Amino acid sequence: MAFGALSSAYLYSNPSPFGGIWEIDANLDATLPVNECACQEAAPGVNWQKFQKDLRGNLQSDPSFSRPWVHELCSATYSAFFATSRVDEATFQIWKSTCGAGLLAVAAVCSQSIALQMADVSSRWRWTERPVQAEGRAVKDILEAMPAGDCLRLCEEHEECASVAHGPFGCHLKDKCVTSGEQLVLPGVAPGYRTYYQRGGPCTAEDGVEPVSSPHHLSEIRLLMDAAVRLLDHVVHCLDKSDWPFTIEEVLANRMEFTAATLHAHRNGEFYFRWSRSQRFLLPVTCDAASRATVGDAGAVCRTLSRLMIRWVRGLDSEVGFWHALLDPSNAENPEVDFSSWRSAQDWLLSGDITWHYGDICTFLAAARGHTTSYGRPRVLNAGSGPLAPGRIDCGDSVTVVASDGLARFYLQLYDILQHDPPVVPLQCPTEALHHCFPQHHFDVVHMRNSLDHANDPLMGILELIWVARPGGWVLLRHARNEGVAGHFQLGLHQWAFDVEDRADGRHFVIWSPSLRVDVSDWLLSSGLAAEVKAERRPHPAGGEEEYIFVDIQKQLPTSVRAIETG
């Protein structure tokens, strides 16, 4: 199929046009949990069917997800979350579950409850992430499961009660007025328990109760939201078609918003986060709910890409933290920060100069302009630029370089946090969604360096790169060879490996992971998306030990132009 005939309807009406292109692992779906969304059996302290009914009913009457029922439903299920699952607070691993979708819903409700209470300075009750070490004298002990709301009401009714220890197996009234800076028990001790304490009752303002927006509360939301994201792995095959009201995209988008909120708090101390129930989330997701539910290879590919998107979101904090360290001027002597990379970032901040290509952009630009000049002035796109964005390139004449990145919104926050005035800023645009940001046939050269292997769906990324390139223009990919292998495809955003394989008809560009594999050269040439695909392995351009993969893709010219050039 010639690219000119590849309409936008074909490209974007079907979110997963690649089911038959990927080679897939035969056991791709073999370990999918069977009952993670059905949740027919009650768990300790919670009836999943009743919880689901109450949750759906409340959300229907309160689409804003912000009324008092949120706190009541969290209080009724919070302890059951820890009784039913085992969350390691160091790695946020879910050890055991009987209803993944239900646990995910509890995590969503309770993260929203905590966020709402953090914003409500008039709230009577506060809490700690884990129980305090010195709890005070016991006023009364109820040694059976009880909703947190009932436990707190008991304390309010008892004149000697100032705080409570509440968890999966009981409610313990205490006489201690908890103060700011209390020592907490170690992580893993008394899982599911926390200390609730009052701002009123026997405690006065002079008792120094902990401010509502404390690091403890922020950490608790992070734990719950990370648990929700990890639980998506258990329910990726069933959540969207179940009766549970949360979707995969919703959970992932809110985790990303939480990252943005914590960056904002880092800057000025103000934390503002609310769980959003928007019907549209701007994520680089190329498979919708219907595609994930499809039986056969196409559905298996979609579920795998969705799992990779889940891992991508889990690696977001690491990626943002990496750039934060390089942009921070105070890290010159930090042994955990690569000095050479830090120096390059600091030089860019001062001068705008950055090594972002390997010296061949102008050659390809001249080749692209040799076919036609009817598309206006020369333009270059540096997609996946990171925060160190180039502005122009000297190819005899100065040529505009547009930089884009799917994480640009976070980089803008880093500039603000560190009080930088960057020489150039990248545009917010995921590679898998370039058609939302730029018109078709807009750039003579489209360039990516060590970033397409970060994409959730690199095939959709390549399709988008070709879409915004001009006919006869070039897409240039420059990546470390098999980058994902060293970190077992789970380090940061590195989920793919790029390689070049020798075949009888030449060298082929291959993208692979433990689950999926595709011969990109075959796909591009057989579909008519490219006129030429040149792939080769090269030594590290800067003299390092690892090899690099250089791939040059020329976009197909219109039939009329090809006839003139060959005729």
Side-chain angles (χ1 to χ4, degrees):
M1 179 185 295
F3 194 87
L6 198 59
S7 68
S8 59
Y10 172 83
L11 284 172
Y12 310 118
S13 63
N14 179 357
S16 178
F18 307 123
I21 296 171
W22 291 102
E23 301 172 27
I24 68 173
D25 187 307
N27 297 315
L28 204 54
D29 279 346
T31 60
L32 287 178
V34 177
N35 297 315
E36 292 288 349
C37 294
C39 305
Q40 297 295 331
E41 298 181 6
V46 62
N47 182 316
W48 291 124
Q49 299 299 308
K50 183 180 184 303
F51 171 59
Q52 183 188 85
K53 181 180 179 181
D54 291 346
L55 177 59
R56 289 176 61 86
N58 281 309
L59 285 172
Q60 287 176 0
S61 60
D62 174 29
S64 68
F65 195 16
S66 62
R67 294 178 184 167
W69 68 265
V70 178
H71 311 305
E72 295 170 5
L73 206 54
C74 175
S75 295
T77 56
Y78 181 87
S79 59
F81 180 89
F82 290 92
T84 308
S85 63
R86 177 70 181 272
V87 183
D88 185 296
E89 298 189 37
T91 62
F92 306 105
Q93 290 183 345
I94 304 298
W95 293 112
K96 174 186 67 177
S97 73
T98 57
C99 174
L103 292 173
L104 185 154
V106 173
V109 170
C110 288
S111 62
Q112 176 73 333
S113 173
I114 297 168
L116 292 172
Q117 292 181 68
M118 287 176 71
D120 181 9
V121 297
S122 65
S123 177
R124 176 172 181 173
W125 286 96
R126 298 291 184 260
W127 64 94
T128 59
E129 180 185 3
R130 303 184 301 277
V132 298
Q133 284 186 357
E135 295 183 308
R137 181 178 63 87
V139 174
K140 186 176 182 179
D141 293 306
I142 297 89
L143 302 178
E144 60 183 31
M146 171 182 287
D150 293 346
C151 181
L152 300 185
R153 278 188 287 274
L154 281 178
C155 183
E156 291 170 0
E157 294 167 359
H158 201 298
E159 63 179 13
E160 294 184 55
C161 182
S163 58
V164 305
H166 177 269
F169 309 110
C171 168
H172 309 276
L173 309 188
K174 307 291 183 179
D175 70 344
K176 179 175 181 176
C177 289
V178 175
T179 60
S180 178
E182 292 278 353
Q183 291 293 315
L184 306 183
V185 301
L186 295 174
V189 176
Y193 277 83
R194 53 183 175 180
T195 296
Y196 292 82
Y197 53 95
Q198 301 187 68
R199 290 167 58 88
C203 301
T204 64
E206 286 74 25
D207 291 314
V209 295
E210 189 175 8
V212 64
S213 54
S214 74
H216 291 315
H217 303 144
L218 198 64
S219 176
E220 189 172 8
I221 297 179
R222 184 189 302 276
L223 182 147
L224 288 167
M225 297 203 71
D226 284 343
V229 171
R230 286 185 174 272
L231 281 162
L232 286 175
D233 274 329
H234 295 257
V235 299
V236 68
H237 60 298
C238 61
L239 181 65
D240 292 336
K241 60 182 179 180
S242 74
D243 290 331
W244 292 98
F246 300 109
T247 67
I248 291 173
E249 282 78 10
E250 180 179 345
V251 175
L252 296 178
N254 277 284
R255 181 59 182 84
M256 293 180 69
E257 290 306 313
F258 176 77
T259 296
T262 54
L263 285 174
H264 183 76
H266 187 94
R267 179 189 177 196
N268 58 19
E270 296 179 2
F271 175 75
Y272 183 86
F273 170 78
R274 298 291 184 278
W275 187 285
S276 172
R277 305 244 44 231
S278 171
Q279 296 303 304
R280 290 182 59 85
F281 297 99
L282 298 179
L283 289 170
V285 177
T286 53
C287 286
D288 61 9
S291 301
R292 280 191 289 268
T294 303
V295 177
D297 288 355
V301 168
C302 271
R303 289 185 287 274
T304 298
L305 292 176
S306 295
R307 289 190 194 94
L308 294 177
M309 185 66 203
I310 293 165
R311 290 184 188 172
W312 187 89
V313 171
R314 281 166 47 188
L316 177 61
D317 287 351
S318 172
E319 185 73 8
V320 174
F322 168 80
W323 287 113
H324 192 170
L326 294 187
L327 290 167
D328 188 343
S330 68
N331 277 333
E333 298 182 4
N334 187 336
E336 297 182 359
V337 177
D338 180 75
F339 179 79
S340 177
S341 299
W342 176 87
R343 183 73 270 165
S344 294
Q346 301 305 309
D347 289 345
W348 172 80
L349 287 166
L350 292 173
S351 66
D353 294 333
I354 188 70
T355 300
W356 61 277
H357 66 94
Y358 295 123
D360 52 0
I361 297 290
C362 296
T363 301
F364 284 98
L365 182 64
R369 301 298 291 180
H371 293 292
T372 177
T373 59
S374 61
Y375 292 100
R377 295 186 58 81
R379 296 188 191 93
V380 174
L381 173 65
N382 187 39
S385 66
L388 313 182
R392 306 189 72 83
I393 185 172
D394 185 3
C395 292
D397 295 323
S398 182
V399 176
T400 298
V401 178
V402 177
S404 66
D405 198 288
L407 300 181
R409 54 178 294 207
F410 299 103
Y411 303 149
L412 297 181
Q413 288 187 277
L414 293 181
Y415 301 147
D416 288 345
I417 289 169
L418 298 168
Q419 299 184 340
H420 291 319
D421 183 15
V424 183
V425 296
L427 298 176
Q428 170 61 36
C429 191
T431 303
E432 297 97 325
L434 288 173
H435 75 284
H436 286 302
C437 309
F438 305 107
Q440 187 182 13
H441 308 325
H442 193 62
F443 297 99
D444 297 280
V445 175
V446 180
H447 173 271
M448 290 196 80
R449 170 183 157 187
N450 285 333
S451 52
L452 185 61
D453 55 352
H454 294 185
N456 173 240
D457 186 342
L459 286 194
M460 180 60 83
I462 291 172
L463 198 62
E464 295 277 329
L465 294 168
I466 295 174
W467 179 261
V468 300
R470 292 170 175 167
W474 292 86
V475 173
L476 308 179
L477 307 177
R478 309 292 187 251
H479 291 77
R481 184 186 180 199
N482 292 332
E483 181 76 4
V485 174
H488 303 286
F489 298 91
Q490 297 189 36
L491 181 61
L493 304 185
H494 294 291
Q495 303 190 107
W496 299 99
F498 291 2
D499 205 353
V500 173
E501 295 183 355
D502 293 322
R503 303 285 180 79
D505 59 346
R507 295 186 175 95
H508 286 231
F509 172 38
V510 173
I511 295 176
W512 66 280
S513 75
S515 301
L516 298 172
R517 181 185 181 282
V518 64
D519 185 322
V520 181
S521 299
D522 274 349
W523 167 55
L524 292 176
L525 294 172
S526 63
S527 63
L529 292 170
E532 179 184 355
V533 179
K534 181 182 178 182
E536 60 179 323
R537 291 187 294 270
R538 293 190 184 181
H540 194 296
E545 294 183 0
E546 60 186 348
E547 286 186 295
Y548 260 60
I549 300 298
F550 276 49
V551 181
D552 309 331
I553 303 168
Q554 186 181 30
K555 183 172 177 175
Q556 191 72 269
L557 285 163
T559 305
S560 57
V561 176
R562 292 203 305 272
I564 293 173
E565 292 190 353
T566 59

